[in-house]
């Protein structure tokens, strides 16, 4: 699904809640992230993104550290019911 | 009596598997290697209710695809060695992600029992779960546990035995492939049926093929006849997207399994982990914390282990020497010399290392068990990029503080070869425990007024050299490369004293085993080289060789004795102390007094710098050869270290002379 509300994970600020749209950049990265809980359709929360260095995100109760370039391969769309 | 039940202990990383393993096996645990690999294999026996168990600890893995060595080992063990039962441990606070491994294990032909660990931590995080509901959904035994308080461990083992004996129902609900790929999956199943070796399920091979698993894809090409092979390859090309579907279907299955079993009564609370991570993962505070933690580790090592070391030296080693002297009173002089001045001098100093090593490993075990270690990798990631590496290289390099051998071997967690080579080249620059022990032993003798400051500065300087070498290698030898940094940050939890003790004891024991063999032999050889052919040390073989190198050594302030001590560190880093002990000990006073009298502070600094950077020990060289599979890289590593040792030794010595540290006495 493509929409105007899609963002690159590495551009998102602390506290942003969204849904993972897809992981690009090859099967290996997608498989590794999937085994750690990061798959398309999962809710994701940005825990820490300082605009440089690695970032922290939370999926399925798991805090994952992602290098800046890996975070650049994850697309996220805005969660319409992101009340809490 | 029935034969022992063989149990494979599986689980994702950070689920408390080591704690459960040490509770189960206690002192029976043995550490070896997986056949043909360098990854540790730990196994031991347990006994509950008169029943004997043989427990094999599998490497912690998130899944069972062939992405990493650990994953291949875990699935090979299950398929080839066929344990009776697999016990899988899961983290109650992240149950969904943990059950991904269960979804994979259930495809293999061995029954699985699930232990859900750390239910106390999960409760604090606002996650409640009902074991009975989950058990009913999964169709296999589920045991809630708090392994750190030894709760649920016995029940878990009993459940495993009951499943193996057929006394407990085992009818697991297994994930199915999504409808979109069911047809192609069934066709692949039919095509591989019969061609797959005995004991490997067709359905598992078919699924792994659809997932694009490299190892299975390669093997299947050998198993299949040309015609079905071509058909399978065509199908896989058509359905390259199946991997995401397979993962998606697993999480959908997991969602169904946990829906009724997991509740979250409290939402939106800020957990301890999130609060502490505001400091621990902060670019500035996190780094300050990391440096503080390092400083604390060294301070504890010096102030707690130092006195114990002194006591061992005076109260134990000296007494044994006196006793042996009396015992060997009638023996020829060369026997007395070889045993007391060679064997005991070497072994005795090794024994006095134990307290320092033990305290050091207690600290490392504590950092690992609390979950702080991965924050170190996170905080260090951006700095590692500067030298062409990422945060993950920090862990193997950090292991290097224990021993460079696991640091070199730990580099295999890094996926790309240039980055792995770079990590291997840098690993020997990390001051290993043996070198830190040399520091811990010699610095207080050379600089009794401020040992912690000098040792701390030397370690920082050593790490700066590492960074410099890394930058140069990255710039001029390896092309800058982008690397995947993906890592779990586990929840913080209270460390388990038992796990940490076992960790420290295992590492210290490894050191002692090594010391007992190589170091004592070298110590004796050095005694021979020092005692013959002439009457005094000055006329010995070693002195001759050392003197021939003195023209170079004198530039760095090293006389032949210090050169000889440095050379002896090639076999094992801690040998340089044994050598000093023998060479200077023959003058009848304590080593500390002799060293302080004979060696100027400038020469002492130069000696310490040279020893920290000198050619890696023989075990590390062997590991580098094994990991790089190249003598070229191995020699390059040794040459690089030697050059750095000479260069920085020279630099430090000349600077120290400028600052007037050339006089006698510190």
């Amino acid at each position: 699904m493509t929409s105007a509300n899609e963002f690159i994970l590495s551009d998102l600020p602390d506290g942003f809640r969204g849904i993972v749209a897809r992981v690009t950049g090859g099967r290996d990265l997608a498989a590794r992230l999937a085994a750690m809980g990061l798959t398309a359709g999962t809710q994701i929360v940005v825990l820490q993104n300082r605009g440089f260095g690695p970032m922290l995100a939370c999926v399925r109760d798991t805090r994952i550290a992602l290098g800046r370039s890996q975070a650049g391969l994850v697309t996220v769309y805005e969660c319409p019911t992101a009340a809490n | 009596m029935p034969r022992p039940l063989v149990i494979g202990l599986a689980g994702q990383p950070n689920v408390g598997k080591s704690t459960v393993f040490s509770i189960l096996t206690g002192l029976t645990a043995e550490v070896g290697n997986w056949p043909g690999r360098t990854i540790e294999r730990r196994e031991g026996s347990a006994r509950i209710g008169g029943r004997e168990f043989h427990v094999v600890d599998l490497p912690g893995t998130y899944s069972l695809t062939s992405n990493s060595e650990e994953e291949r080992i875990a699935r090979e063990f299950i398929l080839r060695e066929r344990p009776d039962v697999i016990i899988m441990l899961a983290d109650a606070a992240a149950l969904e992600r943990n059950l991904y491994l269960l979804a994979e294990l259930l495809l293999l032909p061995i029954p699985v029992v699930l232990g859900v660990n750390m239910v106390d931590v999960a409760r604090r995080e606002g996650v409640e779960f009902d074991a009975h509901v989950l058990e009913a959904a999964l169709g296999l035994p589920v045991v809630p546990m708090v392994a750190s308080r030894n709760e649920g461990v016995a029940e878990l083992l009993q459940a495993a035995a009951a499943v193996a004996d057929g006394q407990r129902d085992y009818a697991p609900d297994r994930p199915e492939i999504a409808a979109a790929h069911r047809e192609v999956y069934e066709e692949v199943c039919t095509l591989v049926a019969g061609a797959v070796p005995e004991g490997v399920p067709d359905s598992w091979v078919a699924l792994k093929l659809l997932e694009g698993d490299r190892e299975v894809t390669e093997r299947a090409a050998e198993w299949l006849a040309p015609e079905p092979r071509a058909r399978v390859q065509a199908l896989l090309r058509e359905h390259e997207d199946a991997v995401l579907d397979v993962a998606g279907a697993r999480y959908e299955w997991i969602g169904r399994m946990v829906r009724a079993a997991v509740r979250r009564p409290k939402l939106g609370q800020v957990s301890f982990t999130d609060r502490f991570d505001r400091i621990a993962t902060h670019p500035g505070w996190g780094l300050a914390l990391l440096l503080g933690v390092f400083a604390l580790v060294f301070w504890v090592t010096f102030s707690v282990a130092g006195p114990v070391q002194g006591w061992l030296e005076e109260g134990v080693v000296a007494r044994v020497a006196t006793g042996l002297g009396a015992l060997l009173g009638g023996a020829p002089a060369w026997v007395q010399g070889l045993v007391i001045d060679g064997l005991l001098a070497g072994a005795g100093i090794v024994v006095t290392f134990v307290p320092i090593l033990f305290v050091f490993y207690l600290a490392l075990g504590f950092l690992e068990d609390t979950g702080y270690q991965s924050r170190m990798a996170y905080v260090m990631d951006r700095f590692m990029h500067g030298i062409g590496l990422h945060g993950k290289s920090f862990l193997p390099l950090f292991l290097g503080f224990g021993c460079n051998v696991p640091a070199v071997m730990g580099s295999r967690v890094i996926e790309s070869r240039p980055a792995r080579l770079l990590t291997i080249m840098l690993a020997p620059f990390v001051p290993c425990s043996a070198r830190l022990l040399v520091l811990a032993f010699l610095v207080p003798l050379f600089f009794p007024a401020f040992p912690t400051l000098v040792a701390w500065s030397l370690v920082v300087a050593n790490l700066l050299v590492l960074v410099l070498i890394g930058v140069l290698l990255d710039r001029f030898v390896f092309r800058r490369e982008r690397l995947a940094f993906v890592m779990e940050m586990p929840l913080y939890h209270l460390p388990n004293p038992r796990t940490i003790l076992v960790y420290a004891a295992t590492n210290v024991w490894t050191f002692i085993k090594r010391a007992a063999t190589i170091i004592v032999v070298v110590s004796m050889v050095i005694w021979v080289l020092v005692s013959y052919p002439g009457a005094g040390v000055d006329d010995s073989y070693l002195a001759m060789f050392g003197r021939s190198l003195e023209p170079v050594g004198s530039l760095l302030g090293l006389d032949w004795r210090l050169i000889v001590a440095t050379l002896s560190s090639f076999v094992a880093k801690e040998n340089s102390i044994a050598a000093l002990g023998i060479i200077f000990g023959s003058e009848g006073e304590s080593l500390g007094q002799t060293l302080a009298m004979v060696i100027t502070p400038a020469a002492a600094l130069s000696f310490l710098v040279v020893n920290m950077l000198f050619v890696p020990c023989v075990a590390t060289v062997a590991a580098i050869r094994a990991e790089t599979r190249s003598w070229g890289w191995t020699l390059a590593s040794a040459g690089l270290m030697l050059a750095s040792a000479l260069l920085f030794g020279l630099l430090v010595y000349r600077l120290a002379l400028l600052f007037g540290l050339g006089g006698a006495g510190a």
Side-chain angles (χ1 to χ4, degrees):
Chain A
M1 134 173 187
T2 321
S3 77
N5 293 345
E6 277 192 11
F7 304 94
I8 303 296
L9 180 59
S10 53
D11 294 339
L12 296 172
D14 289 9
F16 184 95
R17 279 165 189 272
I19 305 283
V20 176
R22 65 190 157 271
V23 179
T24 51
R27 195 144 70 176
D28 282 0
L29 182 66
R32 277 178 65 194
L33 290 176
M36 295 176 85
L38 199 157
T39 48
T42 318
Q43 195 186 87
I44 186 165
V45 182
V46 177
L47 296 178
Q48 190 195 77
N49 183 8
R50 301 195 180 263
F52 63 92
M55 63 180 292
L56 281 179
C58 189
V59 283
R60 294 186 210 271
D61 301 315
T62 304
R63 290 157 180 79
I64 301 181
L66 286 162
R68 188 132 290 270
S69 23
Q70 286 71 54
L73 296 170
V74 179
T75 314
V76 176
Y77 57 83
E78 209 167 2
C79 186
T81 52
N84 50 15
Chain B
M1 187 161 175
R3 70 176 181 88
L5 276 183
V6 179
I7 291 188
L9 189 60
Q12 294 191 341
N14 311 309
V15 295
K17 216 154 58 65
S18 315
T19 304
V20 172
F21 181 78
S22 78
I23 290 173
L24 286 177
T25 59
L27 295 171
T28 70
E30 283 174 28
V31 184
N33 278 358
W34 291 93
R37 327 257 183 161
T38 43
I39 293 171
E40 277 183 358
R41 171 177 172 142
R42 301 190 305 155
E43 52 199 309
S45 48
R47 178 185 280 277
I48 281 184
R51 188 83 187 253
E52 187 100 26
F53 299 85
H54 183 76
V55 186
V56 181
D57 190 18
L58 300 179
T61 59
Y62 291 102
S63 69
L64 288 180
T65 41
S66 68
N67 283 330
S68 71
E69 186 97 31
E70 282 85 357
E71 289 167 328
R72 283 194 291 274
I73 285 173
R75 69 191 200 185
E76 254 170 50
F77 168 78
I78 296 167
L79 287 172
R80 292 209 185 135
E81 296 189 38
R82 300 240 154 201
D84 295 296
V85 189
I86 293 167
I87 288 180
M88 186 190 125
L89 291 183
D91 173 1
L95 201 54
E96 284 186 46
R97 187 251 301 164
N98 273 255
L99 293 187
Y100 192 85
L101 181 63
L102 180 68
E104 290 233 56
L105 285 170
L106 288 175
L107 301 170
L108 299 172
I110 307 292
V112 184
V113 171
L114 182 67
V116 180
N117 194 13
M118 304 190 274
V119 289
D120 55 337
V121 179
R123 199 165 295 140
R124 279 203 298 277
E125 294 285 317
V127 180
E128 295 274 358
F129 105 106
D130 185 327
H132 293 291
V133 176
L134 188 61
E135 185 167 296
L138 288 168
L140 51 86
V142 175
V143 180
M145 304 164 66
V146 183
S148 57
R149 293 204 301 259
N150 200 355
E151 288 172 24
V153 180
E155 290 85 339
L156 185 64
L157 213 55
Q158 275 153 3
V163 166
D165 296 342
Q167 287 167 356
R168 197 152 167 178
D169 287 344
Y170 181 75
D173 189 292
R174 293 187 168 89
E176 281 175 15
I177 191 156
H181 287 104
R182 188 161 301 147
E183 217 167 287
V184 59
Y185 164 72
E186 274 162 13
E187 191 176 348
V188 175
C189 268
T190 325
L191 284 164
V192 299
V196 173
E198 186 70 30
V200 183
D202 302 338
S203 52
W204 182 75
V205 171
L207 202 65
K208 285 287 147 196
L209 285 171
L210 283 174
E211 276 187 90
D213 183 292
R214 274 204 202 93
E215 198 190 26
V216 173
T217 310
E218 276 170 30
R219 292 278 172 83
E222 296 161 20
W223 296 332
L224 292 170
E227 213 174 295
R229 183 167 62 216
R231 178 70 188 136
V232 166
Q233 280 164 349
L235 281 171
L236 294 182
R237 265 196 303 277
E238 247 175 79
H239 296 274
E240 266 196 329
D241 58 329
V243 55
L244 295 175
D245 230 22
V246 171
R250 283 188 188 132
Y251 279 114
E252 198 191 306
W253 172 82
I254 291 166
R256 271 191 287 124
M257 294 297 112
V258 302
R259 191 168 300 144
V262 175
R263 288 186 305 121
R264 292 160 188 284
K266 290 174 276 180
L267 269 176
Q269 64 165 8
V270 181
S271 71
F272 171 77
T273 295
D274 288 325
R275 267 178 290 148
F276 191 72
D277 268 351
R278 277 182 202 155
I279 299 165
T281 64
H282 187 277
W285 295 118
L287 192 64
L289 182 68
L290 188 145
L291 290 175
V293 166
F294 269 118
L296 192 68
V297 167
F298 285 112
W299 179 78
V300 168
T301 306
F302 280 125
S303 59
V304 176
V308 181
Q309 184 196 38
W311 175 81
L312 270 176
E313 200 177 340
E314 285 163 27
V316 179
V317 179
R319 278 188 199 168
V320 173
T322 316
L324 269 178
L327 203 68
L328 295 171
W334 72 268
V335 173
Q336 289 193 32
L338 192 63
V339 171
I340 294 169
D341 298 328
L343 191 145
L344 195 70
I349 287 173
V350 166
V351 167
T352 60
F353 283 161
V354 168
I356 283 190
L357 201 57
F358 191 68
V359 173
F360 188 72
Y361 274 116
L362 283 180
L364 287 194
F366 177 84
L367 295 181
E368 188 176 306
D369 204 40
T370 51
Y372 178 62
Q373 213 185 38
S374 56
R375 273 69 183 185
M376 291 180 155
Y378 179 75
V379 169
M380 294 307 289
D381 182 65
R382 66 198 160 106
F383 300 101
M384 305 302 280
H385 279 289
I387 52 175
L389 299 171
H390 62 52
K392 249 186 184 169
S393 288
F394 182 72
L395 287 179
L397 289 179
F398 185 75
L399 274 183
F401 284 101
C403 176
N404 287 174
V405 174
V408 169
M409 290 177 169
S411 67
R412 63 181 46 182
V413 297
I414 300 145
E415 299 82 12
S416 96
R417 181 161 164 92
R420 206 167 62 223
L421 277 175
L422 183 50
T423 310
I424 290 174
M425 296 300 280
L426 293 180
F429 281 93
V430 179
C432 68
S433 62
R435 271 175 280 176
L436 293 171
L437 289 166
V438 171
L439 272 194
F441 189 85
L442 290 181
V443 169
L445 298 185
F446 287 138
F447 305 97
F450 26 77
T452 310
L453 177 72
V454 173
W456 183 228
S457 320
L458 280 168
V459 171
V460 170
N462 187 158
L463 295 180
L464 289 177
V465 169
L466 185 153
V467 169
L468 179 71
I469 301 281
V471 169
L472 293 176
L473 285 178
D474 180 40
R475 200 63 43 93
F476 298 111
V477 182
F478 300 100
R479 297 278 151 79
R480 289 181 157 277
E481 204 181 292
R482 286 289 142 241
L483 308 155
F485 175 61
V486 177
M487 191 175 208
E488 182 198 346
M489 302 275 115
L491 291 174
Y492 291 108
H493 53 88
L494 285 176
N496 177 245
R498 188 185 173 123
T499 310
I500 297 172
L501 272 173
V502 169
Y503 173 86
T506 316
N507 281 295
V508 171
W509 181 236
T510 311
F511 172 80
I512 293 172
K513 271 196 291 191
R514 229 181 71 203
T517 52
I518 307 170
I519 299 165
V520 171
V521 169
V522 168
S523 166
M524 289 164 79
V525 168
I526 288 178
W527 180 80
V528 170
L529 289 176
V530 164
S531 311
Y532 296 93
V537 183
D538 292 1
D539 288 330
S540 67
Y541 292 119
L542 209 61
M544 293 175 204
F545 186 54
R547 285 210 180 87
S548 71
L549 293 178
E550 217 166 36
V552 180
S554 62
L555 295 175
L556 324 178
L558 305 183
D559 65 11
W560 67 269
R561 290 173 294 195
L562 296 180
I563 294 175
V564 164
T566 306
L567 290 175
S568 69
S569 77
F570 172 64
V571 175
K573 290 292 164 188
E574 54 276 33
N575 274 355
S576 54
I577 294 185
L580 283 181
I582 292 163
I583 297 169
F584 288 98
S586 49
E587 282 160 37
E589 287 172 68
S590 91
L591 182 59
Q593 290 170 315
T594 315
L595 288 179
M597 274 191 303
V598 177
I599 297 165
T600 67
L605 273 181
S606 166
F607 176 73
L608 290 169
V609 167
V610 168
N611 269 272
M612 289 186 84
L613 298 175
F614 194 61
V615 177
C617 72
V618 69
T620 306
V621 171
I624 294 174
R625 165 73 184 103
E627 291 301 316
T628 60
R629 297 193 188 90
S630 145
W631 279 113
W633 284 111
T634 311
L635 288 174
S637 169
L640 185 65
M641 298 290 294
L642 182 61
S644 319
L646 295 178
L647 178 69
F648 288 101
L650 183 69
L651 201 69
V652 165
Y653 184 60
R654 293 292 147 185
L655 276 176
L657 287 185
L658 280 183
F659 283 99
L661 293 173

